[in-house]
Every structure is written in structure tokens, then in C-alpha cells.
Amino acid sequence: MNDRFYSCAKALVATVRAGSMSAAAAELNTTKSAISQKLALFEAELGLVLLDRSGRAVTPTLAGRRIFEICAGPVDAALEAEAELGFARSGKIAGRVSISGPNSLLGTMFVPLLTGLQTRFPDVELELHADDSRSDFAADDIDLAFRTGSASKGRFISTALPPARRAPYASPTLLEQVQDVAQPADLLSLQCVVRTQEPSKWVFKNEDGRQEVITPLIGLRVNTMELAYAAALEGQGVALLPSILAQPDERIGRLVRLFPNWSTDPVSVTLLCRPERMSAPSVAAVRKYILEACEPA
């Protein structure tokens, strides 16, 4: 990939992801005019119209979407290589790095990494934004984000992390009031604490591959995992909780893991990075540290 082709491809990828040439220029730290010139040059060289400029937002044509899909991977790889070079050249890694994600995920996955991260990069200032509603990268000036479930990967450099395993938990106080809970169908007689972000049905599988799908009896709706956890502890209902979060209280008897021979599908977890923030050595260093620390042993 020669320099001119790369700069044009980079402008196209940034524009499609950002939705406008102005936003792409801000991401690339250049001018809207420079972006426009590169896009015009790219279209002339390819003999294709890549963008529909007729509306308020710039959208890719069918050809533009195809070229974007071809270029996004190599452009992201080049950005990562640039970040590695910048990281290697920097004698001192310093600067602010902002990270967002669900509160429970930051607490269980990222906070345990803080001591090692701060020891390795003492001049990096970390800023955490706990937000179950998924922060807007540009509006909130976020560099990296943990996401559960599906993520809009096309706009970001996305890397899979170990999935989050969940299980149904209830307090011993609640279970004293009911008969034995041995299988998922028994939940139909129990009130459940359900997060508004969750699907309306809970799917369980046992060790023999049998599947049961239930519609939980909703006793309480909440919008954060922390509220679901607190409600389960207080006996307000059964909640699907991350195992890594619930196990400490399970060990001391404050929570009970229901029907351990049944499990739910793990929730996918990804680390997203704004592509143009990869050029900052501090962002690249923190991202690399997270990925290495989360690699399966």
C-alpha cells in the first residue's frame, strides 16, 4: 500500500465511520478540505463514486461500502503498526486515557488490572466512565470502551476479550420461602430481577445438550447490573449475574447458584478503540496492556 493510496483509503474509512467529512477531519487532525481532496482523488483513481454527498450526512454508495470493507482491515492494521512504532519510540508514556464500559464489567475486568498498569505506566492518567447505556465515543471523548453483547464494530477497532459467564443466583432468604429449585422451569414460580437491556427470554442448556427457554416472571426491572445484584442479595428475586461478580458472595453463603448443571450462553465482550486514537502512545500502551492481561492463560 503506497503512501498516496493509504492516505486516500484512510480518509474514506474515517469518513464512512464518522458519517461526515468534518468529523473525519477532526479524527484525523486535518481539514475538511484535505479530506475532500483525498476522497475526490480516490474516486478518480478508482473510477467509482464512493460517497453519496446529497444528504446532510455522507453515506457510502454500494461501491463505496465495498471499498470501505476492503480497506478498513488494512487501514486498521497500519494504524496499529503506527501505534506500535510510536510506542517503541517514546521514551516516556504519558497522557490521559479515558475508558468507558458497564460499571460491573469495569469493576470485575479492568479495576483488577489497575495496580499493574499504573506500575508499568505511572505517567498515564486513567479516567473511567461507568455507563450501562453505552457512552458515545465522540461526545464523551472516550478512547477505549468495554462492550458486552453485539457492538458496532465497523466504526471501531474491535478486539474480542474472554466472554462473561452468567448464572442464576438468589439469596438463601428467598429460597427458604419456596420448594426446591432444581431446573430452569422452576423459575416460573419465582419472581425474577430483570435488567431492561436483557432479552425477554432466558435460555439454559444442560450438560446433555438439552435446552430450556423460559420467560422469567418479572418482579423487578432495573437498568444496571449493580441494581440487579443488590436486589438479588436482598431477596427481591432471582437474577442472572456475572459469575465473577457473584462468586465471592456465593462462597460466604449470601447468594446461591441455582441448578449448576444448567448454564446460559456466555456474553461476548469486546474492547473497542477509536481508530485515530491509536496514534497516541498512551492509548496504544493501555490497549496493548489490557489485551495481553486478558489473554487466556
Side-chain angles (χ1 to χ4, degrees), residues 170-185:
S171 74
T173 304
L174 176 68
L175 297 178
E176 287 172 359
Q177 304 170 24
V178 299
Q179 295 183 357
D180 188 38
V181 181
Q183 57 188 357

Side-chain angles (χ1 to χ4, degrees), residues 169 172 229 233 245-256:
Y169 287 89
Y229 188 78
L233 282 173
L245 183 66
Q247 282 171 348
D249 278 309
E250 180 185 7
R251 283 193 289 268
I252 62 175
R254 295 185 69 202
L255 285 174
V256 177

Side-chain angles (χ1 to χ4, degrees), residues 118-136:
Q118 291 168 335
T119 299
R120 187 168 176 181
F121 305 113
D123 296 307
V124 170
E125 177 189 344
L126 295 170
E127 184 175 298
L128 303 186
H129 297 258
D131 187 358
D132 280 18
S133 63
R134 301 195 173 197
S135 302
D136 182 278

Side-chain angles (χ1 to χ4, degrees), residues 254-287:
R254 295 185 69 202
L255 285 174
V256 177
R257 161 73 156 92
L258 304 182
F259 34 90
N261 293 331
W262 292 80
S263 61
T264 60
D265 288 334
V267 176
S268 60
V269 180
T270 54
L271 180 66
L272 304 181
C273 179
R274 291 175 68 179
E276 299 315 315
R277 295 298 176 92
M278 286 287 290
S279 60
S282 57
V283 174
V286 171
R287 176 178 177 273

Side-chain angles (χ1 to χ4, degrees), residues 123-199:
D123 296 307
V124 170
E125 177 189 344
L126 295 170
E127 184 175 298
L128 303 186
H129 297 258
D131 187 358
D132 280 18
S133 63
R134 301 195 173 197
S135 302
D136 182 278
F137 270 37
D140 296 330
D141 196 27
I142 302 298
D143 299 307
L144 302 167
F146 289 89
R147 289 286 187 268
T148 57
S150 61
S152 128
K153 299 178 182 179
R155 294 180 56 201
F156 312 108
I157 295 176
S158 173
T159 308
L161 298 175
R165 299 191 177 279
R166 298 189 304 164
Y169 287 89
S171 74
T173 304
L174 176 68
L175 297 178
E176 287 172 359
Q177 304 170 24
V178 299
Q179 295 183 357
D180 188 38
V181 181
Q183 57 188 357
D186 295 333
L187 290 180
L188 296 175
S189 61
L190 278 172
Q191 288 194 332
C192 296
V193 180
V194 178
R195 292 171 61 236
T196 53
Q197 301 93 328
E198 290 179 5

Side-chain angles (χ1 to χ4, degrees), residues 47-163:
L48 297 168
V49 177
L50 302 177
L51 297 171
D52 180 356
R53 301 168 173 83
S54 60
R56 174 173 290 182
V58 176
T59 57
T61 62
L62 288 177
R65 172 57 60 180
R66 177 59 180 150
I67 299 300
F68 166 80
E69 291 171 351
I70 292 171
C71 292
V75 166
D76 288 347
L79 287 170
E80 292 200 53
E82 290 176 8
E84 286 288 329
L85 290 172
F87 179 61
R89 286 195 302 263
S90 299
K92 180 179 180 181
I93 304 298
R96 183 184 68 91
V97 179
S98 56
I99 303 170
S100 77
N103 197 2
S104 58
L105 192 61
L106 288 178
T108 57
M109 182 170 282
F110 182 71
V111 170
L113 305 180
L114 282 176
T115 300
L117 183 56
Q118 291 168 335
T119 299
R120 187 168 176 181
F121 305 113
D123 296 307
V124 170
E125 177 189 344
L126 295 170
E127 184 175 298
L128 303 186
H129 297 258
D131 187 358
D132 280 18
S133 63
R134 301 195 173 197
S135 302
D136 182 278
F137 270 37
D140 296 330
D141 196 27
I142 302 298
D143 299 307
L144 302 167
F146 289 89
R147 289 286 187 268
T148 57
S150 61
S152 128
K153 299 178 182 179
R155 294 180 56 201
F156 312 108
I157 295 176
S158 173
T159 308
L161 298 175

Side-chain angles (χ1 to χ4, degrees), residues 233-251:
L233 282 173
E234 293 300 321
Q236 295 299 312
V238 177
L240 276 183
L241 302 175
S243 297
I244 192 173
L245 183 66
Q247 282 171 348
D249 278 309
E250 180 185 7
R251 283 193 289 268

